[in-house]
């Protein structure tokens, strides 16, 4: 433990009093588990470091976001051509203290005012998760606080309940840099996974295509994430049909996702155009905006079709009460406004309410971890009070989300009626 503290102090600089101040044992006894149900003023501090964002958020039991701190490594990784895990871990280590201090400072709070510490422990990049977990544990020790380990994707799924009244169960679509998942959220800790990526995640491929198209060389695009750059480029298209792309898994009647076929076809168009126009160095292909629009649309169409089947499955199995059906969409790729518009159409067709958290809560952040911590605190699910048990918590880089129900969808063999998305969106 002493080694760990020295390690953090050396790598992150001295901590201000805001984090060092100890909570006196008389203020809160960790063995008093009954505080969970009676505590009407709970405040949770959440730490996120699963990928390339160091985030800290503080929320109270009344759904107020009290404070936030965020450091994004996006630009750095953009320059390096992708995330290099050990480098991501180092950058987290350099920033995690400051980010948590920023959150406390913006909330006007000290560590002693916080009820419990929630931290992402799965899934994600090992080096990155480890930094958040080590720091989260450290805060529980100096502050004498309970600890709440958090599943990053569960946090994405439940963020919407922080900003909108949504009752369980509800349907969730998560699309991010690491995942694409369709799931039913039954309660705070029970999820039924209807479908997931069988190859790469949409965000990862969008980032790859954006880099390959050299979008960051276009003036005004330099500081955008791959996804934001693709969306902006697509909005400038004049002919979405210039580059035909295949549809994905049309005849596979499940809810899994595959974006690799669309991406390979897109990469082939880039190669062909580059050789046709002798494109070199930082030049972009002449039809770059049209290709972005075609690629974005192909992805959206696939996502909408899988969601449509999930909705039909829910309907058939009567899993969600008919008068209260909600689709929540979250994760970084959910920031895409055309995707939101398309999903809105799907929801309208089936009488679903469409809910997307504010865009800054769709991408990785500490607030969603704090909120998931609060949901678990209220239900007393997964809260750890004993310091030895807290020390034994480990990361799980590859954790899946909930019970796998995907075979149930396959066995239903649900056929889709065509949505005519292209005509309805443009
Ligand atoms: O959820 P997130 O912040 O991190 C992970 O947990 O993966 O998602 C990041 C991903 C990146 O791939 C980024 O390019 C993508 O979300 N993204 C978008 C948009 N904004 C961010 N993808 C499509 N359209 C956007 N507007
Ligand atoms: Zn995420």
């Amino acid at each position: 433990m002493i080694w760990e503290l020295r390690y953090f102090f050396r790598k992150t600089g001295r901590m201000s009093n805001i984090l060092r101040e100890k909570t006196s044992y008389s203020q809160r006894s960790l063995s008093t588990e009954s505080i969970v149900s009676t505590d009407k003023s709970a405040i949770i501090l959440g730490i996120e470091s699963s990928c390339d964002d160091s985030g800290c958020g503080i929320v109270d039991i009344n759904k107020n976001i009290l404070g936030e701190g965020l450091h994004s490594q996006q630009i750095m990784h953009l320059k390096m051509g992708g995330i290099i895990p050990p480098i991501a871990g180092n950058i987290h280590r350099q920033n995690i203290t400051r980010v948590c201090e920023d959150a406390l400072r913006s909330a006007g709070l000290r560590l002693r005012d916080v009820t419990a510490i929630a931290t992402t422990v799965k899934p994600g990049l090992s080096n990155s998760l480890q930094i958040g977990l080590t720091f989260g544990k450290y805060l529980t020790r100096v502050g004498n606080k309970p600890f709440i380990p958090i599943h990053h994707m569960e946090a994405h799924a439940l963020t919407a309940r922080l900003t909108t009244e949504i009752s369980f169960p509800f349907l969730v679509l998560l699309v991010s840099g690491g995942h694409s998942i369709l799931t039913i959220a039954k309660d705070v800790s029970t999820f039924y996974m209807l479908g997931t990526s069988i190859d790469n995640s949409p965000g990862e491929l969008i980032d790859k295509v954006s880099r390959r198209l050299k979008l960051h060389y276009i003036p005004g695009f330099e500081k955008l994430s791959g996804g934001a750059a693709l969306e902006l480029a697509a909005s400038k298209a004049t002919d979405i049909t210039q580059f035909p792309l295949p549809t994905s898994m049309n005849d596979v009647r499940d809810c899994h996702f595959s974006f690799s076929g669309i991406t390979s076809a897109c990469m082939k168009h880039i190669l062909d155009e580059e050789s046709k126009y002798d494109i070199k160095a930082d030049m972009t292909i002449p039809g770059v905006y049209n290709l972005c629009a075609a690629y974005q649309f192909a992805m959206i169409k696939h996502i909408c079709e899988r969601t449509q089947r999930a909705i039909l499955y829910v309907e058939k199995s009567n899993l969600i009460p008919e008068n209260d059906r909600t689709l929540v969409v979250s994760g970084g790729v959910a920031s895409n406004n055309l995707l939101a518009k398309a999903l809105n159409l799907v929801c309208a067709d089936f009488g679903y309410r469409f809910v997307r958290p504010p865009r800054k809560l769709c991408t990785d952040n500490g607030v969603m971890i704090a909120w998931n911590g609060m949901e678990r605190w209220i239900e007393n699910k997964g809260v750890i009070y004993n310091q030895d048990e807290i020390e034994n918590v480990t990361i799980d880089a590859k954790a899946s989300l909930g019970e796998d129900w995907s075979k149930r969808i396959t066995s239903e063999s649900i056929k889709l009626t065509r949505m005519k998305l292209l005509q309805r969106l443009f």
Side-chain angles (χ1 to χ4, degrees):
M1 167 173 154
I2 301 227
W3 175 85
E4 234 172 57
L5 292 191
R6 284 208 192 119
Y7 174 77
F8 260 107
F9 279 123
R10 199 172 65 235
K11 297 282 183 182
T12 63
R14 275 184 74 78
M15 295 178 195
S16 66
N17 285 341
I18 219 166
L19 284 178
R20 278 195 296 165
E21 210 157 324
K22 269 189 182 283
T23 307
S24 69
Y25 277 81
S26 60
Q27 266 180 299
R28 166 147 298 141
S29 159
L30 290 190
S31 58
T32 322
E33 294 194 20
S34 58
I35 55 174
V36 172
S37 51
T38 55
D39 194 340
K40 295 276 183 271
S41 57
I43 292 175
I44 307 291
L45 181 146
I47 300 172
E48 159 61 26
S49 73
S50 65
C51 188
D52 59 350
D53 293 298
S54 316
C56 180
I58 304 174
V59 299
D60 72 12
I61 203 162
N62 299 314
K63 300 189 170 184
N64 296 306
I65 299 172
L66 304 178
E68 284 172 78
L70 189 68
H71 175 267
S72 171
Q73 307 176 8
Q74 184 188 292
I75 304 288
M76 160 78 87
H77 296 308
L78 204 65
K79 281 185 192 148
M80 291 190 305
I83 299 175
I84 301 166
I87 295 181
N90 272 335
I91 304 176
H92 279 301
R93 186 181 299 121
Q94 285 155 15
N95 289 282
I96 198 80
T97 310
R98 186 180 53 76
V99 159
C100 290
E101 287 176 347
D102 285 351
L104 281 166
R105 205 169 287 119
S106 64
L109 298 173
R110 286 168 175 271
L111 182 57
R112 67 176 175 209
D113 304 315
V114 168
T115 315
I117 308 293
T119 304
T120 306
V121 299
K122 59 187 172 184
L125 303 172
S126 301
N127 309 52
S128 298
L129 286 167
Q130 194 57 56
I131 298 297
L133 176 59
T134 308
F135 196 70
K137 284 180 181 176
Y138 165 70
L139 291 187
T140 66
R141 281 197 303 274
V142 290
N144 188 32
K145 307 291 176 192
F147 185 64
I148 312 171
I150 300 294
H151 189 303
H152 180 84
M153 300 313 289
E154 286 184 16
H156 269 308
L158 299 188
T159 317
R161 281 168 48 88
L162 170 65
T163 50
T164 311
E165 285 301 319
I166 305 166
S167 46
F168 290 114
F170 57 93
L171 185 62
V172 187
L173 166 70
L174 300 174
V175 271
S176 72
H179 298 87
S180 47
I181 297 175
L182 272 161
T183 183
I184 296 169
K186 181 170 171 282
D187 60 45
V188 172
S189 56
T190 314
F191 291 81
Y192 302 127
M193 194 275 288
L194 308 180
T196 188
S197 324
I198 57 167
D199 38 51
N200 307 65
S201 74
E204 181 191 344
L205 294 177
I206 287 172
D207 290 347
K208 209 166 164 181
V209 165
S210 291
R211 270 198 305 276
R212 184 66 187 76
L213 280 168
K214 298 178 256 185
L215 295 183
H216 54 285
Y217 287 130
I218 303 174
F221 284 65
E222 302 89 341
K223 294 191 173 151
L224 300 178
S225 69
L230 186 93
E231 183 170 14
L232 179 62
S235 73
K236 297 174 189 287
T238 50
D239 180 9
I240 195 172
T241 60
Q242 186 188 346
F243 298 102
L245 291 173
T247 47
S248 186
M249 297 170 84
N250 241 356
D251 46 359
V252 184
R253 294 185 183 175
D254 61 21
C255 287
H256 288 317
F257 297 85
S258 171
F259 300 97
S260 59
I262 304 167
T263 307
S264 304
C266 181
M267 292 295 191
K268 169 98 177 44
H269 280 308
I270 300 173
L271 274 175
D272 291 349
E273 293 299 285
E274 282 181 342
S275 74
K276 188 162 145 198
Y277 293 101
D278 196 21
I279 301 294
K280 298 219 165 62
D282 59 355
M283 291 161 68
T284 49
I285 58 167
V288 60
Y289 295 150
N290 288 343
L291 183 53
C292 285
Y295 183 63
Q296 177 181 250
F297 177 74
M299 286 217 149
I300 289 174
K301 185 167 183 292
H302 181 51
I303 293 170
C304 284
E305 283 168 357
R306 304 334 262 181
T307 308
Q308 189 187 3
R309 181 168 288 109
I311 286 176
L312 289 169
Y313 174 73
V314 166
E315 213 161 74
K316 220 172 169 182
S317 332
N318 210 16
L319 290 165
I320 302 177
E322 205 181 326
N323 55 355
D324 189 14
R325 287 179 173 164
T326 299
L327 171 73
V328 164
V329 53
S330 195
V333 177
S335 323
N336 188 291
N337 279 332
L338 194 68
L339 173 63
K341 195 172 164 191
L343 288 167
N344 245 308
L345 293 174
V346 177
C347 283
D349 287 352
F350 293 97
Y352 268 59
R353 177 170 61 138
F354 173 79
V355 178
R356 175 178 67 161
R359 284 173 100 178
K360 72 175 212 168
L361 293 180
C362 283
T363 48
D364 289 354
N365 64 87
V367 171
M368 70 180 198
I369 306 305
W371 174 248
N372 199 168
M374 182 60 82
E375 294 246 39
R376 285 181 166 274
W377 177 261
I378 293 166
E379 299 288 324
N380 195 17
K381 282 196 171 142
V383 182
I384 309 176
Y385 298 86
N386 179 288
Q387 194 62 52
D388 291 338
E389 274 179 47
I390 295 174
E391 290 306 327
N392 285 335
V393 175
T394 52
I395 58 160
D396 179 1
K398 299 223 176 304
S400 55
L401 176 62
E403 202 179 310
D404 185 352
W405 276 20
S406 59
K407 288 203 171 61
R408 298 184 187 206
I409 321 286
T410 318
S411 62
E412 290 290 341
S413 186
I414 299 166
K415 190 171 182 294
L416 301 183
T417 46
R418 287 188 33 179
M419 272 180 289
K420 299 204 168 82
L421 212 47
L422 191 64
Q423 294 91 317
R424 291 168 78 187
L425 280 177
F426 299 102

